[in-house]
Amino acid sequence: MRVVKLFVHMLAFSKQGPQVAGEVDRHDRLLDKVCVLKHEETTLEVGAAIRRIRKEARLTIDDLSHRTGLSRAYISQIETAKASPSLQTVKRICEELNISPALLFEDPEASCIVLRVERQKVLQFETVKDDMVYTKIVNMLSEPNKKLELVQIVLTPGSTAGDHAHAGEEIFFVLEGEVTITHGQQSHVLRAGDSAHIESQMTHKLHNHGSVPVKFISARTPPGFIDLRHEETLKSLRN
């Protein structure tokens, strides 16, 4: 900002006339206002980012307070932009959230977002049939509220994923084991290294027909798993 002001001064004094000093003062006042507004905007963005990442990590304000040594009230003020933290404070908070401080200043609409393993939500579905428990474990690998959703799914023997239809497209890539994918009237066996790309508006499902768990990746657009209500259908595996 000092460089901008210096440029304004140089531009003004390169001209002759009594109005020059007045123009410089006017530009200075405008630039000062920009500085204040930008500072407030940055404080708001940083606080909102800390709050979002803390919640995604399933930490309460009390948890973060205990980890950082900062008071609960101060953290709350930071998250609501009522307090402007020092760089040292931001660094301390980021260390406990296991993120780079740069992540707080990036545009969430055009950023590279890293989801550390401790921030990835892991969900479990269980179905009981004939005294047998069939389990599906879903590891959310993508950031919420994006156009593309990536999940890792583990099916225990006899378990099924899907058996539904929805808008969009989906790609499956098998990491371990074998799985039968049914798309409409067609069925195919996928083994480790195989993939399938489907149009999701046709009924589809994946079934573990083997005797060992199968693990595969699903990339889906638009997202679907993230819209499921935890309190009704899911049980978290991580605190």
Side-chain angles (χ1 to χ4, degrees):
M1 190 58 68
R2 289 182 179 177
V3 174
V4 175
K5 283 190 174 183
L6 179 59
F7 175 77
V8 172
H9 279 270
M10 291 173 64
L11 179 63
F13 282 104
S14 67
K15 301 179 181 181
Q16 298 296 323
Q19 73 278 14
V20 170
E23 285 296 310
V24 172
D25 289 340
R26 185 174 68 86
H27 280 289
D28 275 353
R29 288 195 298 271
L30 288 174
L31 288 171
D32 287 340
K33 289 181 180 179
V34 170
C35 289
V36 172
L37 291 174
K38 191 62 180 177
H39 175 74
E40 292 177 350
E41 179 183 345
T42 300
T43 300
L44 181 61
E45 291 175 353
V46 168
I50 291 174
R51 177 182 175 86
R52 173 177 59 80
I53 295 171
R54 172 182 62 76
K55 287 191 170 184
E56 288 173 358
R58 298 183 181 180
L59 296 174
T60 65
I61 293 181
D62 287 332
D63 292 332
L64 192 55
S65 172
H66 178 73
R67 293 187 179 192
T68 60
L70 303 171
S71 71
R72 185 186 189 284
Y74 184 46
I75 293 176
S76 178
Q77 290 174 348
I78 292 174
E79 292 188 348
T80 56
K82 294 179 180 177
S84 181
S86 66
L87 290 178
Q88 188 62 34
T89 297
V90 170
K91 182 179 178 181
R92 190 188 313 177
I93 292 174
C94 288
E95 286 176 350
E96 297 304 328
L97 293 176
N98 197 28
I99 62 171
S100 166
L103 183 61
L104 303 179
F105 301 92
E106 292 179 350
D107 179 358
E109 297 300 321
S111 60
C112 173
I113 301 174
V114 176
L115 281 178
R116 302 297 181 189
V117 63
E118 59 271 16
R119 289 185 56 212
Q120 297 170 8
K121 292 182 179 179
V122 179
L123 313 169
Q124 178 173 308
F125 300 74
E126 291 183 348
T127 301
V128 179
K129 184 178 180 180
D130 298 330
D131 295 328
M132 294 291 293
V133 178
Y134 301 97
T135 304
K136 175 173 66 176
I137 301 172
V138 181
N139 190 345
M140 310 299 297
L141 304 179
S142 53
E143 181 77 359
N145 304 316
K146 297 296 182 181
K147 296 179 181 179
L148 177 66
E149 182 177 75
L150 188 68
V151 300
Q152 176 183 280
I153 299 176
V154 175
L155 297 178
T156 58
S159 299
T160 299
D163 202 9
H164 57 196
H166 54 83
E169 300 179 50
E170 200 162 0
I171 296 176
F172 303 98
F173 177 76
V174 181
L175 299 171
E176 299 174 5
E178 295 185 359
V179 66
T180 299
I181 180 171
T182 301
H183 184 246
Q185 300 300 315
Q186 301 181 43
S187 291
H188 305 274
V189 175
L190 302 179
R191 300 177 177 85
D194 292 341
S195 63
H197 188 164
I198 67 170
E199 294 184 356
S200 307
Q201 61 265 32
M202 184 173 289
T203 301
H204 56 280
K205 64 180 179 181
L206 291 97
H207 177 71
N208 184 352
H209 59 270
S211 58
V212 296
V214 60
K215 181 187 296 185
F216 59 92
I217 296 288
S218 170
R220 171 175 170 172
T221 182
F225 278 112
I226 202 66
D227 295 330
L228 295 170
R229 298 184 62 185
H230 294 208
E231 65 271 22
E232 293 183 354
T233 59
L234 308 174
K235 181 176 73 174
S236 171
L237 296 182
R238 290 181 182 156
N239 297 322

